[in-house]
Amino acid sequence: MAGTHVFGEIIDGEVYKYYADGEWKTSASGKSVSIINPTTRKPQFKVQACTQEEVNKVMEAAKVAQKLWARTPLWKRAELLHKAAAILKEHKSPIAECLVKEIAKPARDAVTEVVRSGDLVSYTAEEGVRVLGEGKFLVSDSFPGNERTKYCLSSKIPLGVVLAIPPFNYPVNLAVSKIAPALIAGNALVLKPPTQGAVAALHMIHCFHLAGFPKGLISAVTGKGSEIGDFLTMHPGVNCISFTGGDTGIAISKKAGMIPLQMELGGKDACIVLEDADLDLVAANIVKGGYSYSGQRCTAVKVVLIMDSIADVVIEKVKAKMAKLTVGPPEENCDITPVVTESSANFIEDLVMDAKEKGATFCQEYRREGNLIWPLLLDHVRPDMRIAWEEPFGPVLPVIRITNVEEGIHHCNASNFGLQGCIFTRDINKAIMISDAMETGTVQINSAPARGPDHFPFQGLKESGIGSQGITNTINMMTKIKSTVINLPSASYTIG
């Protein structure tokens, strides 16, 4: 059970502790933040409400620990990461249990997230040794007008202290995707987990603690955004921010100052379906892409743009597959589980009611019980409906019928988002040309959008983000280049 046995020290009574200076601590505030179970809609866990002074102490300790960590050999950093990965996978069950209770993730998927996270940490350790183990050697006479009198040695060095802020939907996987690259690159790491998902993240941090990382190098602070949110993101001790979430990231980017930012802020991922597509494949991917984890994924299919001539056939195939989706609690591995909060469910319902008022065709009856919303497909959606543009982050999917591919591309590109998109066609030439025309960070051909495998580049355009993720890109993003130039008294050439 979560919080027991090996994880016993991370909880004090009913309240989970925060992690600082190599120890699990109780906040001096004497306050806590409740985490509501999305299924029962009752308090499930409590975490510390850390103070600004405690954040200051975390930052001071991180700065000191980072200087020592930067002098730790790469192979040793990798060794500790491999150890943390093994511990994480060994204790997948209690961490997955937290995910089920905090974010209503189906039990099977919760275990998969933890195992995937361990694999990500191990891959990062290996990739970091390769990426950071190489530098550059430049000679001056390659630039016009110069003799070979200068040798330039460049290498990648740490940024300092990295602030990692993952989202609720993958609070373990999208935390380690920031933590592991930061550590292998020689940085210290401060984690601010999401409220929903915080306890799973704290369990994950304990795995790094058990692996034996130096005190102060890794910290995890919990609390109210109103109290420590801006204080963290604007803290002078932070040298880099990696954030995954919603439009809060835009506010962070305006306040953060002159530090590197890595932001993934959601999407309205379009699925463009051409007449020559494999319609069974299309239907399967619309259901998988639109309704997995109740649509609470940045890379979920958020709008289907389909040629009118095949729309009726595809919609019938999709409806048949949707009828087989199970709906209920995450403990029973249902396909559709409650969305994360009541406010999220209310927002989704507002979008549905707007579409209803404006004449969308409901392919199923709209049904909701608490935070649980049954999967819904909306046909004949028009651009004047909110759901044509806004991200529901729930099991509701709009279909817009188009008469030519240019209409689909136009709708995709008119969005403020630009995370991913997908195209279904048997014509690879058409697919490439449409992909080039779509203003998104990634385009999937004949498959639903997806983040991963985790070493693939992952990035968004426009309001979907800043920078690029993926293991190698994140390692590079969390370093900077330092050059040392050797000046020779006279030109020197190797004759060979």
Side-chain angles (χ1 to χ4, degrees), residues 444-456:
Q444 303 275 349
I445 297 174
N446 291 324
S447 183
R451 180 183 61 84
D454 288 313
H455 66 303
F456 278 20

Side-chain angles (χ1 to χ4, degrees), residues 36 47-48 55 100 147 216 222 248 326 346 355 371 381 389 424 427 435 439 444 459 476:
I36 306 300
V47 294
Q48 303 294 323
V55 169
V100 171
E147 295 290 329
T222 54
T248 301
T326 55
N346 291 340
N371 292 358
V381 169
W389 305 104
F424 287 87
D427 189 330
S435 173
E439 296 172 1
Q444 303 275 349
Q459 56 281 317
N476 286 328

Side-chain angles (χ1 to χ4, degrees), residues 291 322 325-327 336 364-365 367 373-377 395-396:
Y291 300 103
M322 290 177 65
L325 295 174
T326 55
V327 181
I336 305 295
Q364 297 84 15
E365 178 186 359
R367 184 179 173 189
I373 296 175
W374 270 250
L376 179 62
L377 188 70
V396 179

Side-chain angles (χ1 to χ4, degrees), residues 60-92:
E60 290 169 9
K63 186 176 181 179
V64 172
Q66 189 274 325
K67 299 299 182 186
L68 295 173
W69 180 245
R71 294 183 175 91
T72 302
L74 267 173
W75 67 265
K76 183 63 176 178
R77 298 180 207 167
E79 189 177 77
L80 286 171
L81 283 171
H82 281 304
K83 189 174 180 181
I87 296 170
L88 188 61
K89 292 165 81 170
E90 179 185 353
H91 298 294
K92 60 183 182 290

Side-chain angles (χ1 to χ4, degrees), residues 32 126 335 376:
S32 62
E126 295 293 332
D335 299 308
L376 179 62

Side-chain angles (χ1 to χ4, degrees), residues 51-283:
T51 66
Q52 293 183 358
E53 181 55 34
E54 285 161 344
V55 169
N56 281 333
K57 290 179 180 178
V58 160
M59 293 299 176
E60 290 169 9
K63 186 176 181 179
V64 172
Q66 189 274 325
K67 299 299 182 186
L68 295 173
W69 180 245
R71 294 183 175 91
T72 302
L74 267 173
W75 67 265
K76 183 63 176 178
R77 298 180 207 167
E79 189 177 77
L80 286 171
L81 283 171
H82 281 304
K83 189 174 180 181
I87 296 170
L88 188 61
K89 292 165 81 170
E90 179 185 353
H91 298 294
K92 60 183 182 290
S93 294
I95 301 174
E97 181 185 335
C98 296
L99 294 171
V100 171
K101 293 180 178 179
E102 288 187 278
I103 62 171
K105 180 160 285 190
R108 187 189 308 107
D109 295 341
V111 172
T112 298
E113 177 176 345
V114 181
V115 174
R116 173 185 180 182
S117 299
D119 291 339
L120 190 157
V121 173
S122 288
Y123 191 105
T124 303
E126 295 293 332
E127 184 71 356
V129 170
R130 290 189 289 268
V131 170
L132 301 168
E134 295 182 356
K136 267 191 176 181
F137 173 66
L138 301 173
V139 291
S140 55
D141 64 308
S142 59
F143 195 87
N146 285 270
E147 295 290 329
R148 189 169 296 187
T149 56
K150 296 175 182 286
Y151 292 161
C152 177
L153 307 174
S154 68
S155 60
K156 295 170 183 174
I157 64 171
L159 294 175
V161 178
V162 173
L163 173 62
I165 309 176
F168 80 84
N169 54 348
Y170 290 91
V172 176
N173 183 255
L174 284 175
V176 300
S177 74
K178 307 172 189 302
I179 295 169
L183 295 176
I184 194 66
N187 298 292
L189 188 287
V190 177
L191 177 72
K192 169 58 177 75
T195 299
Q196 302 287 144
V199 173
L202 293 174
H203 279 71
M204 173 270 296
I205 287 293
H206 193 56
C207 295
F208 282 82
H209 168 75
L210 295 173
F213 282 88
K215 290 184 177 182
L217 185 69
I218 305 170
S219 306
V221 292
T222 54
K224 297 178 180 178
S226 58
E227 175 69 18
I228 62 171
D230 282 353
F231 191 74
L232 271 166
T233 56
M234 298 173 69
H235 200 285
V238 173
N239 305 112
C240 170
I241 300 175
S242 178
F243 173 91
T244 303
D247 54 12
T248 301
I250 296 175
I252 291 174
S253 68
K254 292 177 179 178
K255 299 174 183 178
M258 291 181 62
I259 60 173
L261 301 176
Q262 184 185 56
M263 299 271 172
E264 191 267 280
L265 310 180
K268 185 68 176 176
D269 298 5
C271 172
I272 298 178
V273 185
L274 303 190
E275 290 168 316
D276 68 340
D278 179 334
L279 301 189
D280 289 321
L281 179 68
V282 169

